[in-house]
Amino acid sequence: PTFGQADYVESSGASGPTLPLAPLLFAPEKIPVADVVAVVGRINDDVNAIADWRNLPSTRAENIINPENPPMWLPRATFKANIRKAKFAGWPVDSKGNPVGGEALRDAELGRVSKPNAQIGDAALDAVFDTWAWGANIATPDKVAKSLRAWKDDDDNFSLNKFQLSAVSGRAVTGIGALTFVVIQVVAYGSLFIAPALRTFLDIDIGLGELGTCDP
């Protein structure tokens, strides 16, 4: 996520409901459904609406092993800039053909979200990006295409619930990675300092072995 940067948008001024599962995304702000619609309506199931994949910095790098198939890595910040400049193709509908979020939300927000360079909160953009990047700061076209399919219901309509589950799954990878790092640090600290101190001063062995020795 890019919160803390100078151009970070905390609030788009959107009205209406927020994503019910947003707390599981650990977003710094609430995520309005209208902001998600603003992003999804600009992607419109088209991987190429997100970026010019053949014209990214990674495709122009020096010493590429296979110039015919260069690495196509889309940075998170570039994705946000591209989406904000993209044309709004239309409000997505659910399996019943109703506007996502309801007709009242569409009537209230369509004029705002369909404007060129519409204000879109970064938390919504991060939620969309994490459905395919899984906590990383780059995206690839194959993963984007897979996520776009994962958002669909059986009738090939956008499913807000499936989108949320994809976003939560993507953000969970970041959380698991951070937790794993913390556990490794705790175990290492315990092996180097806590266990020897307990063994030396209190004659307590917590089962981490002795530093520099091996069990027979």
Side-chain angles (χ1 to χ4, degrees):
T2 54
F3 49 83
Q5 294 187 1
D7 57 351
Y8 185 87
V9 177
E10 293 184 3
S11 174
S12 64
S15 60
T18 58
L19 290 184
L21 297 185
L24 297 179
L25 299 176
F26 304 105
E29 300 92 30
K30 293 181 179 180
I31 303 177
V33 171
D35 276 4
V36 174
V37 166
V39 179
V40 174
R42 282 169 167 77
I43 298 174
N44 196 33
D45 300 333
D46 184 3
V47 174
N48 295 312
I50 295 172
D52 181 358
W53 293 99
R54 290 281 178 176
N55 192 30
L56 294 170
S58 61
T59 66
R60 302 191 299 271
E62 296 181 359
N63 302 319
I64 294 177
I65 297 176
N66 185 0
E68 297 300 320
N69 187 27
M72 292 180 280
W73 298 337
L74 174 66
R76 186 184 293 260
T78 303
F79 159 75
K80 291 183 176 184
N82 289 350
I83 287 296
R84 286 182 168 127
K85 291 186 296 184
K87 182 179 179 181
F88 185 78
W91 197 284
V93 296
D94 60 21
S95 59
K96 297 180 180 180
N98 298 320
V100 170
E103 292 186 1
L105 180 65
R106 182 193 59 186
D107 293 345
E109 288 289 322
L110 181 59
R112 183 185 69 83
V113 303
S114 60
K115 290 180 180 178
N117 297 307
Q119 191 87 315
I120 305 173
D122 274 67
L125 287 160
D126 282 325
V128 172
F129 194 84
D130 282 335
T131 64
W132 53 64
W134 290 61
N137 276 323
I138 59 170
T140 56
D142 58 322
K143 291 184 177 179
V144 171
K146 183 178 180 180
S147 289
L148 294 182
R149 292 192 298 268
W151 300 351
K152 297 286 188 170
D153 59 24
D154 294 338
D155 296 321
D156 205 35
N157 293 307
F158 176 76
S159 170
L160 190 60
N161 287 336
K162 288 191 173 184
F163 165 79
Q164 290 185 93
L165 291 175
S166 294
V168 170
S169 297
R171 189 59 62 86
V173 173
T174 305
I176 292 172
L179 179 60
T180 301
F181 177 78
V182 171
V183 170
I184 292 173
Q185 297 301 309
V186 170
V187 171
Y189 185 82
S191 299
L192 292 173
F193 302 105
I194 298 176
L198 292 174
R199 189 179 300 111
T200 300
F201 299 108
L202 299 177
D203 195 25
I204 297 176
D205 189 346
I206 61 175
L208 294 178
E210 294 187 31
L211 186 64
T213 65
C214 297
D215 293 333

